[in-house]
Amino acid sequence: MSEDLRYPIGKLDEQSFTGKEAFAEDLKKTAIKEIELLPQLIENAVLNLDEAQLNAPYRPDGWTVKQVVHHVADSHINAYIRFKLGLTENNPTIKPYEEALWAELSDTKNISINVSLTLLHTLHLRWVEVLKNIKDEEWQRTVFHPEAKKELTLWRFLATYSWHGKHHIAHITKLRERNGW
Ligand code: NI
C-alpha cells in the first residue's frame, strides 16, 4: 500500500479515541499529555532543518514545513479560544476560519518558525492548565459549529486537537525520513 502523504497517521475518525463519546479518564490523560508535549515534539521535528528544507513542501502541492509549523500555531490559538468559549458560555457559536488563506498571509511567509515555536510553548502552558482543570461533567459542554451545523463537545475537541498535533508532526518527520534529512 502506498503511503498516505496527507494523512500519515490516518484521519481523525480512524483513531480509536474518537468514536468514544463517553468520558474515560485514561483517554483524557493521554490526550492532554499529547497536547502538553506538542510544542517540544514539533520543535524536535524541525531541529537542524535549513532554510531550503523548511521551504520544501511536505507533499506535492502541500504546505511547506514552515507553513505547517505556523499553521499549528494558528489552529491551536483557535482551539484555546474554542475551549474557553465552551467553558464560559452556553453552546456558543464558534468561528471557523480559512486556514489555507491564513497560511498565505505575510506572517507565515516572513516570520521565523522560532516565533511560532515559542508561541506554541507559551500558548500550550495556558491551554493545558485549562484542560487539566476541566471537571468530568464539563467535557460534555458543547460549542456550535456553524459550518458542520452541529454541536460538538469539548471531549470531541480534545480528541481532535491531540490528533491534530500528531498529524502535522508526522508530515514533517515522514518528509525527513523519505529524504534522509
Ligand atoms: Ni491542521
Side-chain angles (χ1 to χ4, degrees):
M1 201 172 91
S2 72
E3 194 181 1
D4 188 337
L5 298 182
R6 191 168 195 173
Y7 292 100
I9 64 164
K11 291 188 183 180
L12 175 62
D13 289 334
E14 293 162 3
Q15 301 282 303
S16 58
F17 185 93
T18 309
K20 299 173 186 167
E21 287 297 320
F23 174 82
E25 185 70 20
D26 57 335
L27 294 178
K28 181 192 82 169
K29 285 205 166 119
T30 300
I32 292 176
K33 180 54 81 178
E34 287 171 345
I35 291 172
E36 189 169 23
L37 292 175
L38 174 279
Q40 190 58 54
L41 293 179
I42 198 166
E43 186 176 334
N44 295 348
V46 298
L47 197 68
N48 297 327
L49 290 179
D50 63 26
E51 198 60 23
Q53 291 165 331
L54 290 173
N55 285 315
Y58 80 86
R59 65 176 170 87
D61 301 319
W63 279 336
T64 63
V65 173
K66 194 169 173 178
Q67 282 176 307
V68 169
V69 174
H70 286 311
H71 159 72
V72 173
D74 284 347
S75 169
H76 292 191
I77 290 166
N78 278 280
Y80 173 62
I81 291 171
R82 288 169 177 186
F83 270 92
K84 299 220 348 168
L85 288 172
L87 285 167
T88 55
E89 299 178 25
N90 195 15
N91 196 34
T93 299
I94 57 170
K95 184 71 187 76
Y97 68 103
E98 299 291 343
E99 61 176 28
L101 296 179
W102 283 40
E104 299 296 332
L105 292 176
S106 63
D107 56 343
T108 297
K109 285 217 164 64
N110 299 332
I111 299 286
S112 161
I113 58 165
N114 290 338
V115 172
S116 279
L117 293 173
T118 301
L119 190 160
L120 283 165
H121 277 289
T122 57
L123 175 70
H124 278 233
L125 279 176
R126 289 194 61 177
W127 187 16
V128 169
E129 170 65 19
V130 170
L131 294 176
K132 284 183 172 170
N133 287 286
I134 293 178
K135 298 183 185 73
D136 291 0
E137 65 275 14
E138 287 178 322
W139 288 104
Q140 300 308 319
R141 292 184 68 88
T142 55
V143 299
F144 182 74
H145 195 296
E147 286 178 353
K149 292 192 173 50
K150 61 181 176 187
E151 294 178 0
L152 301 171
T153 62
L154 297 185
W155 184 242
R156 167 83 189 187
F157 268 131
L158 181 68
T160 301
Y161 288 106
S162 63
W163 170 85
H164 185 255
K166 292 185 290 182
H167 166 69
H168 285 299
I169 286 171
H171 287 154
I172 300 168
T173 55
K174 295 286 179 186
L175 174 71
R176 295 188 73 153
E177 278 173 33
R178 289 197 303 278
N179 287 288
W181 290 348

